[in-house]
Amino acid sequence: MNAYPRINIHLDTITDNTKNMVSVCANHNVKPAGVTKLACALPEVANAILAGGITLLADSRLSNLKKIKHLRAQTLLLRLPALSEVEDVVEFADISLNSELVTLQALSKAAQAKGKRHQVIVMHDLGDLREGGFFEEETLALCREATHLPGIELVGLGTNLACYGGVEPSNSNQSQLVALARQVEADNQLTLQYVSGASSAGLGLMMRSELPKGVNQLRLGASLLMGIGLNDDPVPNTRQDTFQLEAEIIEIKVKPSVPTNSTALDAFGNKPEFVDRGLRRRALCAIGKQDVDISELTPVDKNIIVIGGSSDHLILDINDCEQPYEIGTPVKFDLSYGAVLQCMTSEYVHKHMI
């Protein structure tokens, strides 16, 4: 018997998207990392990415890297390591992104204790104002310190864009990163393995042949798993139908469109507003705001109107639908990136591999 709510995951689409992106990147001398965080690093999804030709799997959370450490791939921790987790970072991540000397020193001690050599990519902030040193002198100094720490190997310079500040990857800011990387190499007499320019948001720049030579890594997640890049625009040669949510109808009733004497706040502290459409046929589905932001759901049936919901219920207007919905019928929804992330994180949403 089918279990609902569930998110359907098309593994073959992920593999096809990955193959296409690996091929396109190779044409521009870029070797992508495959980011698994959208799928909470489910091993089935990670294997689908590996089947597409990826050799480096990346995730923001150590608990996710633990799920895939047994797979035949290198692992990269995307979120800056916390001091409280450095022992696990050295154990489960081959590479980590870093921006703080105290953290690098702690990683050095942990690596020495385990008899390991931990690789690090130092992050530089090019204006998006998330992680990394903002001033070049600061980043250069951190790189110099990293080269002198036992158990630590400086292997790259990276930056993050279009995640917090909405700064788009450009030829200008990527050229700044390459120039700084060359300075790091000259100062420390080494060759960096990675100049890690951006996420899937940088694919458009690369495909227009505007990504500077020297940027040799992009951290790809959304493009592999959902076929989207900057501003959630579709990426050429990919499909966007990897994920689909199904939620089961548990009630169908004809009711007014506006509650009777609505004066209180809703369960989330908001003052609700309503559109009076008269008496309408409405359906309750067994999923709610605890699982997903319902404003990020798009019904596949275009005649369905998402009215609202509470923690555990989704309320739909099915009055104008041609399909004969009944109790027990699953309703299908397309999802935004944020909605996929929430559904994958919710333990109440079943994951169905296809």
Side-chain angles (χ1 to χ4, degrees), residues 18 51 55 58 67 84 120 226 247 262 270 336-337:
T18 304
T55 59
K67 299 178 189 177
S84 60
V120 300
M226 293 186 69
S262 173
N270 301 310
S336 69
Y337 177 93

Coordinates of all heavy atoms in Angstrom, one line a residue, residues 18 51 55 58 67 84 120 226 247 262 270 336-337:
T18 N 23.3 14.9 -14.4 CA 24.7 14.9 -14.0 C 25.7 14.7 -15.1 O 26.7 15.4 -15.3 CB 25.0 13.9 -12.8 OG1 24.1 14.2 -11.7 CG2 26.4 14.0 -12.3
A51 N 26.9 8.0 -10.6 CA 26.7 7.3 -11.9 C 26.8 8.3 -13.1 O 27.0 7.8 -14.2 CB 25.3 6.6 -11.9
T55 N 33.0 12.7 -9.0 CA 33.9 12.0 -8.2 C 34.1 12.6 -6.8 O 34.7 12.0 -5.9 CB 35.3 11.9 -8.8 OG1 35.8 13.2 -9.1 CG2 35.3 11.1 -10.1
A58 N 29.7 16.7 -2.1 CA 29.8 17.8 -1.1 C 28.5 17.9 -0.4 O 27.4 17.7 -1.0 CB 30.2 19.1 -1.8
K67 N 26.5 9.6 6.0 CA 25.7 8.6 5.2 C 26.4 8.1 4.0 O 26.0 7.0 3.5 CB 24.4 9.3 4.8 CG 23.5 9.8 6.0 CD 22.3 10.5 5.4 CE 21.4 11.2 6.4 NZ 20.3 11.9 5.9
S84 N 33.3 22.5 17.7 CA 32.8 21.3 18.4 C 32.8 20.0 17.6 O 32.6 18.9 18.1 CB 31.4 21.6 18.9 OG 30.6 21.8 17.8
V120 N 42.2 21.5 2.9 CA 41.3 22.7 3.1 C 41.3 23.6 1.9 O 42.3 23.8 1.2 CB 41.7 23.5 4.4 CG1 41.7 22.6 5.6 CG2 43.1 24.1 4.2
M226 N 17.7 19.3 -9.8 CA 16.5 19.9 -10.2 C 16.6 20.6 -11.6 O 15.6 21.1 -12.1 CB 16.0 21.0 -9.2 CG 15.6 20.4 -7.9 SD 14.9 21.6 -6.8 CE 13.3 22.0 -7.6
A247 N 0.2 14.2 -1.9 CA -0.5 14.3 -0.6 C -1.9 13.8 -0.7 O -2.6 14.1 -1.7 CB -0.5 15.8 -0.1
S262 N -14.1 35.7 12.0 CA -12.7 35.5 12.2 C -12.0 36.7 12.8 O -12.0 37.8 12.2 CB -12.0 35.2 10.8 OG -10.6 35.2 10.9
N270 N -0.3 34.8 12.7 CA -0.6 35.7 11.6 C -2.1 36.0 11.6 O -2.9 35.2 12.0 CB -0.2 35.1 10.2 CG 1.3 34.8 10.2 OD1 2.1 35.7 10.5 ND2 1.6 33.6 9.8
S336 N 9.2 24.0 -5.5 CA 10.3 24.9 -5.6 C 11.5 24.3 -4.9 O 11.4 23.2 -4.3 CB 10.0 26.3 -4.9 OG 9.9 26.0 -3.5
Y337 N 12.7 24.9 -5.1 CA 13.9 24.4 -4.4 C 13.7 24.3 -2.9 O 14.0 23.2 -2.3 CB 15.1 25.3 -4.7 CG 16.4 24.9 -4.0 CD1 17.3 24.0 -4.7 CD2 16.7 25.4 -2.8 CE1 18.5 23.7 -4.0 CE2 17.8 25.0 -2.1 CZ 18.7 24.2 -2.7 OH 19.9 23.8 -2.1

